[in-house]
């Protein structure tokens, strides 16, 4: 999608109900676009961000079980 990056890291954290960092999202493959101090993400990436976080949590759960 070519939608502009308008979703802030704060909005992502509010939607999730917990805090994630821009570094964590970058480790999942989502780079922020910087506008002044704001780190912005494309709203169309929201479903993929959620899916990537779920996959990460499941992988961590499975690693801890071994």
């Amino acid at each position: 999608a070519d939608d502009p990056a308008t979703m802030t890291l704060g909005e992502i954290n509010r939607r999730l109900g917990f805090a994630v960092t821009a570094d964590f999202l970058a480790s999942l493959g989502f780079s922020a676009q910087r506008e002044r101090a704001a780190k912005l993400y494309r709203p169309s990436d929201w479903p993929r961000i959620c899916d990537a976080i779920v996959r990460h949590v499941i992988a961590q759960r499975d690693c801890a079980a071994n």
Side-chain angles (χ1 to χ4, degrees), residues 20-65:
V20 297
T21 65
D23 288 339
F24 174 69
L25 291 177
S27 76
L28 298 177
F30 300 94
S31 298
Q33 182 177 349
R34 299 206 65 172
E35 186 172 310
R36 297 185 187 144
K39 294 179 180 173
L40 302 174
Y41 299 85
R42 295 180 322 163
S44 64
D45 283 336
W46 173 244
R48 288 181 292 283
I49 289 170
C50 291
D51 291 344
I53 291 170
V54 169
R55 284 191 304 273
H56 173 79
V57 169
I58 289 170
Q60 295 307 308
R61 177 203 63 198
D62 293 348
C63 284

